Amino acid sequence: WNHDNNCYEASGLINRLLGIKRENGSMDPFKQFDGDLGSCVKCKDILSKFHVDPCASDEIVVPKPIVSGIRKKPLMVIGQTPGLTEYRTGKPFQGQAGKGIRGELSNLGVHDFDREVFSSAVAKCFPGRKHRKVNDPFSKCEDRQPPAAMVRNCRQFLKRQVELADPAIIITLGSLALKAYLEMSGQQVSSPRLENYVGTAQEWGERKVIFFPHTSGSARWLNNHSNKLLFGKAKNLLRIALLESGVVNA
């Protein structure tokens, strides 16, 4: 396997050989996508340099793309990367950030998250954890930001997820998801700041895009009172969008 080859091409061939087709003989785009994503190992060399959790063991990260079974959904949430809990379970939004966004949406009337929301992330594989202080092996561990190469490798998958899920509303979580959306929508912003977007909404074709801060308990952005007010505006915008799109009832 040449890891530099496009994962779509290689895994697409596997799916054709396996015969993942509709009854009329054409490829089922949803199953094909899930197969393409699930078999991607393009970041294997990158991940081989990282530990799953250096505070716990010497275990090395291996590629485990989170495949949630893509289907058309009215809502789509784009996070940063899978975390340690997602790496262990193979399911999206199971950790602290997942609990946070599930709770926020439940408060707005979206009570069946897994049925109504398609869960995605900028990077499809867990990039491991790292020591908070680079030269201190006794410091606490925290989630690693995905390297730029991982983000580039995953970009085509994220674009395809938006096309296939075809959501009426997209919610971005944190600055990395915000930047990914801006790039996908053709907006040239080198260093977007959350405070310039949270509390606003954009139209992207027929979709409404609403910007949230990261919902993990460790995110410090919400420690600022002004940012909390912006988050309140964002939730009000989302409440209106949910009502207008018919996802929830008044």
Side-chain angles (χ1 to χ4, degrees):
W1 183 297
N2 183 346
H3 298 305
D4 291 330
N5 288 341
N6 190 300
C7 290
Y8 267 29
E9 297 176 0
S11 53
L13 174 60
I14 292 172
N15 286 338
R16 287 192 290 276
L17 292 173
L18 291 174
I20 299 176
K21 298 180 179 180
R22 297 181 178 183
E23 291 182 1
N24 64 7
S26 64
M27 294 293 293
D28 181 325
F30 298 102
K31 290 182 179 179
Q32 181 179 353
F33 177 85
D34 287 344
D36 290 346
L37 177 57
S39 60
C40 185
V41 292
K42 202 169 187 181
C43 294
K44 182 178 180 180
D45 291 342
I46 298 171
L47 295 173
S48 68
K49 302 173 185 177
F50 303 145
H51 290 93
V52 173
D53 185 358
C55 288
S57 73
D58 292 331
E59 181 185 359
I60 298 298
V61 180
V62 296
K64 288 185 182 180
I66 301 298
V67 180
S68 50
I70 191 164
R71 289 292 181 270
K72 289 185 180 294
K73 298 285 183 78
L75 302 176
M76 180 175 183
V77 174
I78 304 175
Q80 177 172 288
T81 70
L84 180 59
T85 305
E86 289 81 6
Y87 182 73
R88 297 300 192 199
T89 64
K91 298 178 180 180
F93 285 100
Q94 300 296 307
Q96 285 301 113
K99 292 177 182 177
I101 189 59
R102 287 170 185 268
E104 295 292 354
L105 288 177
S106 180
N107 291 338
L108 295 174
V110 181
H111 301 301
D112 194 340
F113 184 93
D114 294 318
R115 184 177 66 85
E116 298 178 284
V117 179
F118 180 73
S119 302
S120 183
V122 175
K124 306 306 180 187
C125 287
F126 172 56
R129 290 170 62 79
K130 64 181 181 66
H131 287 287
R132 188 169 295 173
K133 298 179 180 179
V134 177
N135 298 318
D136 184 359
F138 299 103
S139 63
K140 293 182 179 181
C141 287
E142 61 185 7
D143 289 342
R144 181 187 301 278
Q145 285 272 348
M150 279 188 71
V151 174
R152 287 194 299 270
N153 288 343
C154 294
R155 188 172 294 148
Q156 62 182 326
F157 288 117
L158 180 57
K159 289 179 180 179
R160 188 66 175 139
Q161 284 177 325
V162 173
E163 294 168 359
L164 290 173
D166 193 23
I169 302 169
I170 294 175
I171 305 163
T172 65
L173 300 182
S175 57
L176 194 64
L178 164 63
K179 185 175 181 180
Y181 157 71
L182 292 173
E183 291 175 350
M184 284 192 294
S185 59
Q187 301 179 58
Q188 303 299 320
V189 183
S190 58
S191 299
R193 297 178 61 86
L194 272 178
E195 53 266 34
N196 294 333
Y197 291 89
V198 176
T200 70
Q202 291 190 4
E203 302 286 341
W204 185 23
E206 296 182 356
R207 302 182 180 96
K208 177 85 73 175
V209 183
I210 296 173
F211 313 102
F212 270 27
H214 204 278
T215 52
S216 70
S218 61
R220 294 186 289 271
W221 190 82
L222 285 171
N223 291 345
N224 182 294
H225 179 69
S226 297
N227 292 342
K228 288 181 179 179
L229 295 177
L230 292 176
F231 190 27
K233 291 182 180 179
K235 287 185 279 190
N236 285 333
L237 287 172
L238 180 55
R239 180 182 291 107
I240 293 169
L242 291 170
L243 289 168
E244 290 179 343
S245 63
V247 176
V248 301
N249 298 317

